[in-house]
Amino acid sequence: MATKIDFYAVLEVSRTASADELKKAYRKQAMRYHPDRNPGDETAEHKFKEINEAYDVLKDEQKRAAYDRFGHAAFENGGMGGMGGGFGGFGGGGLDDIFEMFGDMMGGRRGGGRRRTGNDIQVQVEISLSEAFTGVKKPVEIRTRVTCEDCHGSGSAESNPGDTTCPTCHGAGAVRAQQGFFLVERPCPTCHGSGKVVRNPCKTCRGSGTTEQTRTLDIAIPAGVEDGTRIRVTGEGEAGGNGVQPGDLYVHVAVGSSEIFQRDGANIYCRVPLRMTQAALGTEIEVPVIDSSRAKVRIPAGTQTGENFRLRGRGFSVLRSSARGDMYIQVAVETPHHLSKRQKELLEEFETEAGEAQDQEKANPEHTGFFAKVRDFFEGK
Ligand SMILES: [Zn+2]
Ligand SMILES: [Zn+2]
């Protein structure tokens, strides 16, 4: 496999770059090497692929964490290739694939050889957008198999069960058999893969070494967490029984939506409807901030629907960092409904005050400009 360049180097950012910095760097580089801008240039094309590959990983908190920890190896061993060592199937592969690999690596490290562990458990935790901002501890109830207290997981009723190694597989948990040309390995039929046999089984767990129990764990969910993030808690999955390592617990975090805020990474958007008069005359409005504080925003006279006002550093917290994104106030001018008689009179008076064509153009340049174009259209200009 060809040597890969460090993803951070590809995007020309530091290893501590924020999500925002990454996005900016990616846009800059992608623009520079885009095939449309460099037709027929193979070097640029290659570079463009590298940039996309790097950003694909670094933009995702979990993939980035895996990359920081294991480097390119985090993505290379799971049969993702198929496209000459590239990341071909990456987008489709999704997180699960990566985490399966991730899990295997961890398992290998723990077990020192063949991975034999209890089952992993998946649970979902729902948190609000505000909780995602501050970070939160959530109790998670899991019904799972735990090591039997009576036999301490040995599965035997005897305190000293002697040699429990399975005679069929000699403790390997698997047997090999010739099948045509191939030597295939399957779980041992005597011990069902545990590598151990129990002669006098424990009455509590009937020899399995595990019993079912409901446990409650406090899961610390970090500030800045995104919807769909999966948190792995090592060793909190199902007990394997007979001295096998427990599996892992995976907590899927679902972040609820808000009626006030929309989140995009570290940035937060808040749509604020303005009265027609506020937009025309200018005003100061008070807006809510995700950290439960309030902020004042000055709306200048002549503000239009769709204009954005940025509140720097008032957005979402960035995972594993003290940085914060920005908040954008998106204003929308609301035309009043159900006018009173007096209000109608005032607006009609306002309309007659519009004055000379020159003044109208100043007051409503878009309106005037549009209808000038319409005139040109009909006159065939
Ligand atoms: Zn037991
Ligand atoms: Zn066996």
Side-chain angles (χ1 to χ4, degrees), residues 148 151 202 205:
C148 172
C151 63
C202 161
C205 62

Side-chain angles (χ1 to χ4, degrees), residues 166-175 188-197:
C166 170
T168 309
C169 63
H170 307 290
V175 288
C188 170
T190 310
C191 63
H192 306 291
S194 70
K196 291 180 179 177
V197 283

Side-chain angles (χ1 to χ4, degrees), residues 3 54 64 135 140 189 191 194 216 231-232 277 296 303 309 329 357:
T3 320
R64 184 176 176 180
V140 171
C191 63
S194 70
T216 304
I231 297 171
R232 177 189 151 115
T277 44
K296 288 211 161 93
T303 291
F309 297 90
I329 305 298

Side-chain angles (χ1 to χ4, degrees), residues 336-372:
H337 317 256
H338 309 296
L339 297 174
S340 71
K341 192 164 169 282
R342 174 76 183 128
Q343 281 175 319
K344 263 187 217 163
E345 282 169 11
L346 283 170
L347 284 181
E348 276 157 10
E349 195 181 326
F350 174 86
E351 187 64 14
T352 56
E353 273 295 305
E356 302 287 312
Q358 211 178 332
D359 299 333
Q360 279 197 30
E361 197 177 333
K362 257 189 215 159
N364 293 94
E366 277 191 52
H367 172 89
T368 317
F370 175 76
F371 284 100

Side-chain angles (χ1 to χ4, degrees), residues 64-105:
R64 184 176 176 180
Y67 178 72
D68 286 348
R69 198 150 176 190
F70 301 112
H72 293 296
F75 309 105
E76 277 166 0
N77 300 323
M80 292 240 175
M83 283 184 75
F87 267 71
F90 209 73
L95 270 180
D96 285 352
D97 292 347
I98 294 167
F99 269 92
E100 288 338 318
M101 278 185 277
F102 211 134
D104 283 348
M105 286 176 188

Side-chain angles (χ1 to χ4, degrees), residues 19-31:
D20 222 35
E21 284 164 354
L22 277 170
K23 196 189 253 182
K24 270 189 200 133
Y26 166 70
R27 283 201 183 136
K28 194 177 132 200
Q29 299 280 36
M31 206 105 106

Side-chain angles (χ1 to χ4, degrees), residues 268-314:
I268 279 194
Y269 296 84
C270 178
R271 185 179 177 277
V272 179
L274 289 182
R275 288 195 304 278
M276 180 184 78
T277 44
Q278 289 180 305
L281 302 172
T283 186
E284 191 176 74
I285 56 170
E286 197 177 69
V287 294
V289 180
I290 187 69
D291 60 14
S292 299
S293 66
R294 295 160 201 266
K296 288 211 161 93
V297 181
R298 215 181 57 76
I299 305 292
T303 291
Q304 305 295 330
T305 286
E307 275 185 42
N308 280 303
F309 297 90
R310 175 157 79 163
L311 299 173
R312 200 180 275 274
R314 306 299 290 269

